[in-house]
Amino acid sequence: MAKKDPTDLSVEEKLKTLFQLQTALSSIDEKKALRGELPLEVEDLEAEIEGLTTRIDRIKSEVKDFERAISQKKGEIVEAQNSVERYKQQLDEVRNNREYDTLSKEIEFQSLEIELCNKKISDAQKMIAEKNHELEASELVLGEKQGDLDLKKNELDEIMDETRAEEEKLKEKAHELEAKIEPRLLTSFKRIRKNARNGLGIVYVQRDACGGCFNKIPPQRQLDIKMHKKVIVCEYCGRILIDPELAGVKADKPATEEKKTRRRSSTVRKTSNSKKSSDANDMD
């Protein structure tokens, strides 16, 4: 049998299909709601862990840089010490005061270099101690966050396992229903649904009012909705409106009818009371 073109569907069929789609999507939303804030909490923890991991890697890299700097300065100290020893030996062989002064200055300079290198080594060692302390604290936090993430993931997986099969069926059904709806109408429905706070893109009339925003619908507009001749939207919230009977929902008694019923009952009671009063007077 050839697949029916979505544009060939009557307005009544389009509205029915849209409402079925809305029901399926609302059920999917309910399944997702069971997860609560868990997905967001998992995402936040994963982001925190990623940030902590980057921070730990950076600290380790900085520690290695300080260690390399210490090793370099130690090498410079050895070179400077060797230079000092060589210059001291040359002092014994000087032939004039100028050579003596030059060698003395070189010895003094190399001695200052050794002191400077020792100071830089000391500073680097202090920085390594601070970085290692920071590294331990970060790794401790990382362990706690990883533990929290594992718990949240397990909890989320348990909830998803319970609803996955049903959710997949609903998604498949929704996909099939979407294929039956003309693209322009489907796009409009999805846009309305996205902007709606409760995710409802199509609603049925309840007690003479829109089932989405609960604003009153004029009688003539209600009649147009019941006729199923065109797609009608709420003039207040923009949701698509459908007749309760077409949606397969038992319609609530309109408020106007209830008022008439109450008036009729009140009139009956008043008539009955008047009659009783009249009978009593006749007996007197």
Side-chain angles (χ1 to χ4, degrees):
M1 186 177 175
K3 194 173 181 181
K4 196 169 184 180
D5 191 325
T7 56
D8 293 338
L9 293 176
S10 66
V11 173
E12 185 173 322
E13 289 174 316
K14 288 177 183 178
L15 291 170
K16 263 187 177 181
T17 307
L18 268 181
F19 192 78
Q20 289 170 359
L21 176 60
Q22 176 66 73
T23 303
L25 293 175
S26 293
S27 296
I28 292 171
D29 290 343
E30 287 174 11
K31 303 296 176 192
K32 289 180 178 178
L34 290 173
R35 302 168 199 167
E37 298 295 321
L38 277 175
L40 292 175
E41 289 175 11
V42 167
E43 285 181 16
D44 289 343
L45 283 167
E46 286 175 340
E48 284 186 61
I49 287 170
E50 186 179 349
L52 283 166
T53 303
T54 303
R55 183 181 180 187
I56 287 168
D57 290 341
R58 190 189 71 246
I59 293 170
K60 287 180 177 178
S61 177
E62 289 173 352
V63 168
K64 285 181 180 179
D65 289 341
F66 284 124
E67 289 174 343
R68 279 195 293 269
I70 289 172
S71 179
Q72 183 182 341
K73 293 302 173 186
K74 283 182 177 178
E76 291 176 7
I77 287 172
V78 171
E79 289 180 8
Q81 286 173 338
N82 290 336
S83 296
V84 168
E85 290 299 321
R86 188 171 64 254
Y87 293 142
K88 281 182 178 180
Q89 289 174 3
Q90 290 176 4
L91 279 175
D92 297 332
E93 301 173 2
V94 295
R95 286 171 289 185
N96 53 56
N97 288 336
R98 191 177 65 180
E99 288 183 4
Y100 182 85
D101 289 341
T102 301
L103 288 171
S104 296
K105 286 179 180 179
E106 284 295 332
I107 291 169
E108 185 181 355
F109 176 75
Q110 294 299 330
S111 298
L112 289 172
E113 279 293 312
I114 290 169
E115 287 180 17
L116 181 61
C117 286
N118 281 326
K119 183 179 182 304
K120 287 185 176 179
I121 287 171
S122 177
D123 290 343
Q125 287 172 338
K126 286 179 183 176
M127 289 301 298
I128 287 173
E130 289 178 12
K131 292 295 178 183
N132 282 332
H133 179 72
E134 188 179 344
L135 181 63
E136 287 176 11
S138 297
E139 286 178 337
L140 182 64
V141 174
L142 178 62
E144 291 174 354
K145 295 294 181 183
Q146 189 62 56
D148 290 342
L149 177 61
D150 292 339
L151 286 173
K152 297 289 183 185
K153 273 189 170 180
N154 289 336
E155 191 177 344
L156 182 59
D157 287 341
E158 286 177 9
I159 294 172
M160 290 186 70
D161 285 340
E162 292 173 3
T163 60
R164 186 177 283 110
E166 195 172 348
E167 193 172 329
E168 286 301 321
K169 287 181 182 177
L170 287 167
K171 284 180 179 179
E172 187 177 342
K173 182 181 178 182
H175 184 70
E176 290 173 358
L177 289 167
E178 285 180 358
K180 296 179 182 178
I181 303 167
E182 61 180 289
R184 190 177 62 175
L185 181 58
L186 181 62
T187 302
S188 298
F189 167 75
K190 286 184 175 180
R191 186 182 65 252
I192 296 166
R193 178 174 144 77
K194 184 179 179 181
N195 295 330
R197 188 173 57 182
N198 52 9
L200 296 176
I202 181 169
V203 293
Y204 55 87
V205 179
Q206 299 181 56
R207 303 176 70 83
D208 299 333
C210 169
C213 64
F214 306 109
N215 280 297
K216 288 292 181 182
I217 302 171
Q220 182 57 48
R221 203 166 184 79
Q222 289 188 53
L223 185 60
D224 291 339
I225 293 166
K226 288 181 179 180
M227 295 292 290
H228 317 143
K229 295 297 181 184
K230 57 183 178 179
V231 177
I232 297 173
V233 299
C234 175
E235 59 185 359
Y236 298 101
C237 66
R239 290 179 175 90
I240 298 168
L241 297 168
I242 184 173
D243 180 39
E245 291 182 8
L246 188 60
V249 179
K250 188 177 179 181
D252 291 331
K253 186 181 285 187
T256 51
E257 287 187 19
E258 286 189 1
K259 286 179 182 178
K260 287 178 182 178
T261 304
R262 282 200 295 270
R263 286 198 206 99
R264 197 179 297 116
S265 299
S266 177
T267 304
V268 170
R269 282 197 299 272
K270 284 179 181 178
T271 304
S272 177
N273 290 337
S274 298
K275 188 175 179 182
K276 286 179 182 177
S277 176
S278 177
D279 291 344
N281 291 331
D282 290 341
M283 288 177 69
D284 290 340

